Amino acid sequence: MPKVAIQDVRRYAKRTAAIIVGLLALLAALATWAWHQRADIVDSGLHPQVTDGLPDTAVTVTWLGISMLLFDDGETQILVDGFVSRPTLLESLTGRPVTCDAPMINYVMDEYGMNRLAAIVPTHSHYDHAMDVGAIANRSSASILGSESTANIARGYGVPEDQIVVAEPGTQYGFGDFTVTLIPSVHAPIGLRGEVPLAGTVDEPLELPAPITAWREGGSFSIIVSHPQGTTIVQGSAGYREGALDNVQADVVMLGVALLGSLGRDYAERYWQALVTSTGAMRVFPVHFEDQTRPFGEIVLPPKLIDNFVRTATWLQAIRDTWDRDTQLLLPSFGQRLALYPEQAPDA
Ligand SMILES: [Zn+2]
């Protein structure tokens, strides 16, 4: 009898193991399938902005993915954010230490002509905004302007102290004909439990390699980039502070929309009003809508399971039609110089 019992137990254990393996395989297949369910950007109904025949005197912006933006007036360049190294999905999920991709940073700075950088200004200190600011600063003479956390990211990369400026909120910093102002804002509450993900500060020089969780938010800003030709607001994350921009008039808003869909349409409407309606902007470019685990230059929407930009774009168009009928809602074209204030630029 005991012999039979042992055989039974073995058979039972084998069957259970087979069922578990089968279930795991099914789960993996489901997860893979869900990961590949992505909306197509052309379905957003938004049209890419294309600028032909730029006058030399135009103030331009080049969108380099997420909310990395290169402003240029032909003499001075301002870079908002620095995110060229793209930790992979696996590195993001496992917390494997990552470091800056030096060859890629060299390529990007050369390819997009970043040779007159005066300032590098991260919207906040998460890795997808500030990971490469130190590496870029070290390849230029630009000042890094941001929070104390941003300063510690720069210090960890060995950026000389005289290139690091901890910004006084609301103070206007002049770089050539540009004026840059950091207005305290808040990060979007897009964590799983409605919290700000990776909140907190970077309190020590951030030495690399480090897991992506080492880049803490460190406070978020609305970045106001002003020029005699016009004013642009960059909002890296879809957070807003009621009334914070009441005294700001803008022509263009670069509107961070990552995970805006998870916050609901009502939130999206309040966000729009705080950034666009209150500032009178006539052109809005959504940014930070693509899958940030893809290599630099690959613009692919995230899995619908995580974020659906097509639905967000539908909301934004309806909200625009309600509040700001004459405001244009446009897609930025990756890596292309766009004239920010075409009506202002004197002919070359
Ligand atoms: Zn963030």
Side-chain angles (χ1 to χ4, degrees):
M1 285 297 281
K3 208 172 183 184
V4 172
I6 286 168
Q7 274 176 352
D8 278 354
V9 168
R10 278 197 185 135
R11 205 176 301 134
Y12 178 74
K14 262 189 185 167
R15 200 176 299 155
T16 308
I19 290 171
I20 290 173
V21 168
L23 279 175
L24 285 176
L26 189 67
L27 267 178
L30 261 176
T32 309
W33 175 82
W35 192 253
H36 287 99
Q37 302 307 305
R38 295 164 188 250
D40 191 326
I41 204 158
V42 297
D43 296 331
S44 70
L46 302 184
H47 299 290
Q49 169 79 352
V50 184
T51 315
D52 295 321
L54 283 172
D56 292 346
T57 48
V59 178
T60 62
V61 72
T62 307
W63 176 58
L64 297 170
I66 308 297
S67 49
M68 183 175 176
L69 295 155
L70 178 65
F71 291 81
D72 194 345
D73 69 353
E75 287 185 6
T76 308
Q77 295 173 331
I78 307 289
L79 181 67
V80 172
D81 285 359
F83 183 47
V84 172
S85 312
R86 297 295 179 96
T88 62
L89 177 64
L90 191 70
E91 286 167 332
S92 309
L93 291 178
T94 59
R96 189 191 293 170
V98 294
T99 194
C100 298
D101 182 345
M104 195 60 173
I105 291 165
N106 293 337
Y107 163 77
V108 168
M109 290 185 72
D110 185 51
E111 180 69 17
Y112 297 98
M114 282 184 215
N115 46 22
R116 290 173 280 107
L117 275 183
I120 304 167
V121 197
T123 52
H124 59 280
S125 293
H126 280 152
Y127 79 102
D128 53 334
H129 299 266
M131 180 165 177
D132 296 317
V133 294
I136 296 171
N138 273 357
R139 288 159 169 77
S140 72
S141 53
S143 299
I144 292 190
L145 183 62
S147 66
E148 189 63 48
S149 292
T150 293
N152 276 324
I153 291 168
R155 288 180 187 121
Y157 208 85
V159 176
E161 204 61 36
D162 60 8
Q163 267 177 268
I164 301 172
V165 181
V166 176
E168 281 289 336
T171 297
Q172 298 186 336
Y173 294 88
F175 301 96
D177 284 340
F178 285 103
T179 304
V180 177
T181 312
L182 283 71
I183 308 278
S185 187
V186 289
H187 195 281
I190 50 175
L192 286 176
R193 290 170 298 279
E195 80 285 17
V196 173
L198 302 177
T201 48
V202 182
D203 297 324
E204 303 284 335
L206 176 53
E207 296 196 5
L208 302 183
I212 61 162
T213 50
W215 281 267
R216 296 283 160 170
E217 185 228 349
S220 292
F221 299 102
S222 301
I223 312 280
I224 318 292
V225 182
S226 290
H227 189 277
Q229 289 183 33
T231 296
T232 295
I233 301 175
V234 183
Q235 192 76 3
S237 149
Y240 66 95
R241 197 189 284 275
E242 208 74 61
L245 300 172
D246 279 357
N247 297 319
V248 177
Q249 181 279 323
D251 302 283
V252 179
V253 176
M254 312 303 292
L255 192 73
V257 297
L259 294 171
L260 184 56
S262 68
L263 300 171
R265 194 189 181 286
D266 288 350
Y267 179 98
E269 188 149 14
R270 294 195 299 275
Y271 176 50
W272 174 280
Q273 288 181 279
L275 268 293
V276 182
T277 311
S278 83
T279 62
M282 295 306 289
R283 291 204 295 160
V284 177
F285 294 90
V287 292
H288 206 338
F289 50 77
E290 78 271 34
D291 181 347
Q292 66 199 43
T293 64
R294 293 298 182 105
F296 180 87
E298 268 191 42
I299 308 299
V300 179
L301 294 185
K304 285 184 197 171
L305 189 74
I306 292 174
D307 197 11
N308 187 345
F309 175 63
V310 167
R311 187 183 58 168
T312 300
T314 309
W315 289 354
L316 293 179
Q317 287 169 91
I319 294 166
R320 184 270 317 271
D321 290 346
T322 306
W323 296 98
D324 303 281
R325 191 167 281 279
D326 296 330
T327 295
Q328 286 182 289
L329 185 55
L330 299 156
L331 275 184
S333 303
F334 181 87
Q336 289 190 25
R337 289 176 65 204
L338 307 174
L340 275 171
Y341 320 110
E343 61 291 343
Q344 302 297 330
D347 288 335

